[in-house]
Amino acid sequence: MTQAPAPPKNGRRRHDREIIALAVPAFGALVAEPLFVMVDSAVVGHLGTPQLAGLGIAAALLMTAVSIFVFLAYATTAAVARRVGAGDLPAAIRQGMDGIWLALLLGAAVVALAMPTAPWLVDAFGASDTAAPYAITYLRISILGIPAMLVVLAATGVLRGLQDTRTPLYVAIAGFTANAVLNVTLVYGAGLGIAGSAWGTVIAQAGMAAAYLVVVIRGARKHGASLRPDAAGIRASARAGVPLLIRTLSLRAVLMIATAVAARLGDADIAAHQIILSLWSLTAFALDAIAIAGQAIIGRYLGADDEKGAREACRRMVEWGIGCGIVLGVLIVLTRPLFIPLFTSDPSVKDTLLPALLVVAVSQPIAGVVFVLDGVLMGAGDGRYLAWAMLVTLAVFAPVALLVPSLGGGLTALWWAMTLMMAVRLITLWLRTRSGRWIVTGATR
C-alpha cells in the first residue's frame, strides 16, 4: 500500500467507530451460520449413528455448494457500497436486486442439477450402505432450500453495502432459533426422522430469505428502485462474481489438499488436523468480520471519490488486523489446556496437535492482515487481481504440501505449509495495495 500519512487521532477514532459498528454484528451473523449444522447434528445424533453419518455427508455437500457462491455476498457488497458512496440509493438497491435475481437463477440451476444426481454425489463421498439412504433423503430435501440460501447471501451483501450489518445479525438469530424449534418439532414431534431435520432447515432458510426480501423491497419502494429483473444488470453481477468464484474455488482447493495430506499422515494426524481446522475456522470468523467491514467502508469511500478516506481506512483496518491477529494468537496459546480436552482425550492426538497448534497461533497476525486486505480489494471491486493472486498461492502451496509426507514431515510441517500459503497471500495482496492500482473511484469500477 502506498504510504499515506497517518490520519489524525480523531480520524482514527472515526474509522474505529465505523469498523466496530459493522464488524461486531457481522461477526455475530457469521458465527450463527455454522450453528445451523450444529443444531441439526445434535437433534439427528439421537436418532442413531447411521442417521448422523448421513447428515454429515449431506451437510458437507450442501456447505460446499453454498460456499462456492459466496461471491454473491462479496460482489454485491462492493457494488452497492459504491453506489451508496456516490449518493445514489435507488441505483444501489437496483444493483442489489440484480444480485438477488442472479442468486435465484443460480439456485434454480443448482436444484435442477443436484436433485437427480444426489445418489451419485453421496456415493462419491464414500457413504456406507447404512448411512447412504439417510444422506440421500436429507440431501434431496435440503437441495430445495438452496435458492433461499443463495438469496440470503445476495441480500446480506445488499445490506452490508448499505452499511447495515445489524439486520443480517437479527435475521441470523431468528433463523437459528426457528431452525432449532422446527428440528425438534418435526424430527420427534411429527416423527419424520432425518427428513424432519431437512425440512426444518429448508423452512428456516426460506423464512430468512423472505425476511431479507421484505427489507430490500421496502427500501426499493421507498427510493423508487425497480424490482424487475434486468438482463444487463444480472449479466454485470455475474461478470463481477466470476473472478471471486475462481478465488473461492482456489481457496477450497487449498483446504482440500491440506486435508488429503493430513489423511495420508495417519489417524492421529487427521484427527488433530480436523480439530485445528475447527479452531482456524472460528478465528477466521473474527478476522472475516473486519474484512466485511472493509468491503463496505472501502466501497463507500471509493464511490464518494474519496481516495484519501479509502487509503486512511485501509491503513487503519490493517492495524486492526494485526492487533486482532496478535490477540487471537495469544488466546490460542493461553487457552489450549482448556479446549484441547474438549475435542480429544487420546494422548497421541494431543501430542500431534500441540506443536501444530503453536504454528497456527504464530501465524494469526499474518492471517489478520490477509483477511483485511482481501476485504479491502473486494470492496474496491478488484476481483480479477484476487483471482490471479489466489491461483498463484495455490500453485505455490500445492507442491509444498504434497511433499510433506514423502519428506517425512508430520502435521506440524503441513501447518507450516499452510503458513507459507498465508504468507504468499500476504505478499500478493500487500503488493497490490501498495501499488495503489486498486483505487478506482466512482459509482462503478
Side-chain angles (χ1 to χ4, degrees):
M1 182 175 60
T2 302
Q3 292 297 316
K9 184 174 291 186
N10 61 341
R12 289 199 299 272
R13 287 175 179 169
R14 184 182 75 251
H15 292 312
D16 289 346
R17 286 194 297 268
E18 286 185 331
I19 293 168
I20 292 171
L22 291 170
V24 172
F27 175 70
L30 289 170
V31 170
E33 292 174 8
L35 293 179
F36 270 76
V37 177
M38 290 179 64
V39 167
D40 289 7
S41 299
V43 173
V44 171
H46 292 286
L47 295 174
T49 300
Q51 289 91 333
L52 184 58
L55 170 66
I57 292 167
L61 287 166
L62 284 167
M63 293 306 295
T64 299
V66 174
S67 66
I68 288 173
F69 296 108
V70 73
F71 70 83
L72 289 167
Y74 294 158
T76 305
T77 297
V80 171
R82 276 185 176 269
R83 297 285 190 178
V84 169
D88 193 348
L89 283 177
I93 296 173
R94 173 67 261 176
Q95 190 97 43
M97 284 304 305
D98 292 335
I100 291 173
W101 280 112
L102 176 62
L104 285 169
L105 291 173
L106 291 173
V110 172
V111 171
L113 289 172
M115 191 65 75
T117 58
W120 179 85
L121 291 170
V122 169
D123 183 64
F125 234 72
S128 66
D129 292 339
T130 54
Y134 297 109
I136 294 170
T137 296
Y138 189 93
L139 184 60
R140 276 186 163 157
I141 296 171
S142 296
I143 284 170
L144 298 174
I146 286 181
M149 294 180 191
L150 299 191
V151 167
V152 166
L153 284 177
T156 299
V158 176
L159 295 181
R160 288 173 181 170
L162 293 171
Q163 316 297 296
D164 176 10
T165 56
R166 288 183 178 271
T167 300
L169 173 60
Y170 300 147
V171 174
I173 292 172
F176 166 72
T177 304
N179 181 57
V181 173
L182 287 166
N183 262 260
V184 173
T185 303
L186 296 176
V187 172
Y188 297 114
L192 296 179
I194 195 170
S197 177
W199 280 117
T201 301
V202 169
I203 294 169
Q205 292 285 354
M208 291 173 66
Y212 275 119
L213 289 175
V214 167
V215 173
V216 174
I217 289 171
R218 282 179 180 172
R221 288 176 176 171
K222 179 180 178 181
H223 296 286
S226 173
L227 297 172
R228 294 179 180 179
D230 176 67
I234 294 171
R235 284 196 299 271
S237 294
R239 283 195 299 270
V242 168
L244 295 180
L245 173 62
I246 294 171
R247 167 204 167 273
T248 300
L249 289 173
S250 300
L251 183 56
R252 296 292 302 182
V254 165
L255 298 176
M256 288 175 65
I257 289 170
T259 300
V261 170
R264 291 171 60 188
L265 295 174
D267 290 347
D269 293 87
I270 186 61
H273 178 72
Q274 288 304 115
I275 294 170
I276 293 175
L277 268 184
S278 299
L279 180 66
W280 196 66
S281 297
L282 182 60
T283 61
F285 286 140
L287 299 175
D288 202 26
I290 304 173
I292 287 169
Q295 293 170 31
I297 293 170
I298 293 298
R300 192 189 75 233
Y301 274 119
L302 294 178
D305 295 323
D306 188 351
E307 179 179 335
K308 179 182 177 183
R311 289 182 182 277
E312 289 179 352
C314 176
R315 180 192 182 105
R316 188 57 178 159
M317 280 183 284
V318 167
E319 293 170 355
W320 268 77
I322 295 171
C324 288
I326 292 172
V327 170
L328 289 171
V330 171
L331 284 174
I332 290 172
V333 174
L334 294 180
T335 61
R336 69 189 190 282
L338 299 177
F339 67 77
I340 290 178
L342 296 176
F343 289 98
T344 182
S345 59
D346 188 330
S348 62
V349 175
K350 289 182 178 180
D351 291 343
T352 304
L353 174 65
L354 187 56
L357 195 61
L358 294 176
V359 174
V360 174
V362 169
S363 68
Q364 286 305 297
I366 298 174
V369 179
V370 167
F371 273 81
V372 166
L373 294 183
D374 209 37
V376 166
L377 296 185
M378 283 185 190
D382 203 8
R384 185 173 296 181
Y385 182 84
L386 288 171
W388 281 110
M390 199 61 226
L391 287 171
V392 169
T393 301
L394 175 60
V396 173
F397 169 78
V400 174
L402 293 172
L403 281 172
V404 168
S406 60
L407 295 178
L411 188 66
T412 302
L414 175 60
W415 275 93
W416 276 119
M418 289 288 285
T419 302
L420 170 66
M421 179 271 295
M422 294 301 288
V424 174
R425 291 186 69 190
L426 174 62
I427 292 169
T428 56
L429 297 176
W430 179 78
L431 288 174
R432 184 63 168 182
T433 50
R434 183 177 176 81
S435 73
R437 293 177 185 173
W438 58 281
I439 299 178
V440 179
T441 58
T444 58
R445 183 175 172 86

